[in-house]
Amino acid sequence: IRQLLSFSRRPEVLPTDMDLREVVKAAAEQAEAFRKPEVSFVKDLGDRPIMAHVDSMQMQGVFVNLIKNAFEATESGVVEVRVREGATTFAVSVRDTGSGIPPEAVRRLFTPFFTTKRAGGGTGLGLAFSRNIIFAHEGSIELQSKVGQGSTFTVFLPRGGTP
């Protein structure tokens, strides 16, 4: 019930200064349980700390959801997670070589209760919740997808400041 009510208000974030790579690493470890044997998992987290002001548990949940979805969409191939620093943002991308998302579904993908998964395969809440958490951190999320070639979700978080 608490999660459903969160759609009507901005989620409360309790940010601290964290190495974003560690948040993504923990999410990757948690989501790896969903990896199929024919899918390789590439983690490109950089070689030095990337300090971000985030609610680590909430952002870890976002990254678990994105990586889990990538594993579920990929029967064989690659899932890759990357962390990068830009001039004004941090970017975390999750790329897969899975089935891709049809354009008509992309438009509705972040809508609560919309899912591209088969019946019983998902609630349609994961991406909606994730988007709300990202927005509460004053960030954004972008999607690039081609049917039959895969998808890339990129989360952009601002450098500095307090959400």
Side-chain angles (χ1 to χ4, degrees):
I1 291 173
R2 185 178 71 232
Q3 289 178 329
L4 291 174
L5 291 173
S6 73
F7 285 117
S8 65
R9 65 189 188 301
R10 182 179 170 138
E12 180 183 358
V13 294
L14 302 171
T16 58
D17 291 329
M18 297 286 306
D19 182 351
L20 188 58
R21 297 172 323 131
E22 292 299 320
V23 176
V24 173
K25 181 180 175 185
E29 289 171 0
Q30 189 176 349
E32 191 151 7
F34 297 94
R35 184 175 66 86
K36 298 171 187 87
E38 302 80 23
V39 177
S40 61
F41 191 22
V42 177
K43 295 169 269 222
D44 182 2
L45 307 180
D47 56 359
R48 62 183 189 79
I50 297 177
M51 299 307 291
H53 198 66
V54 297
D55 184 316
S56 63
M57 293 307 294
Q58 287 190 16
M59 289 309 301
Q60 181 176 330
V62 167
F63 300 133
V64 166
N65 184 58
L66 294 176
I67 296 166
K68 177 181 177 273
N69 287 350
F71 284 139
E72 290 175 347
T74 308
E75 290 302 318
S76 64
V78 178
V79 169
E80 176 184 33
V81 61
R82 297 179 70 203
V83 179
R84 293 289 178 260
E85 268 185 285
T88 60
T89 62
F90 302 114
V92 178
S93 61
V94 178
R95 180 184 68 84
D96 67 66
T97 58
S99 56
I101 304 165
E104 62 275 7
V106 168
R107 290 187 288 279
R108 299 180 56 208
L109 204 58
F110 295 98
T111 304
F113 305 108
F114 177 78
T115 183
T116 59
K117 297 175 184 173
R118 60 176 165 55
T123 62
L125 294 174
L127 288 174
F129 282 131
S130 294
R131 190 183 110 229
N132 286 352
I133 292 167
I134 294 163
F135 285 2
H137 282 81
E138 297 179 5
S140 63
I141 184 167
E142 292 181 0
L143 166 62
Q144 295 178 337
S145 188
K146 290 188 179 181
V147 174
Q149 296 181 23
S151 303
T152 302
F153 287 83
T154 305
V155 175
F156 296 96
L157 297 169
R159 292 178 66 111
T162 304

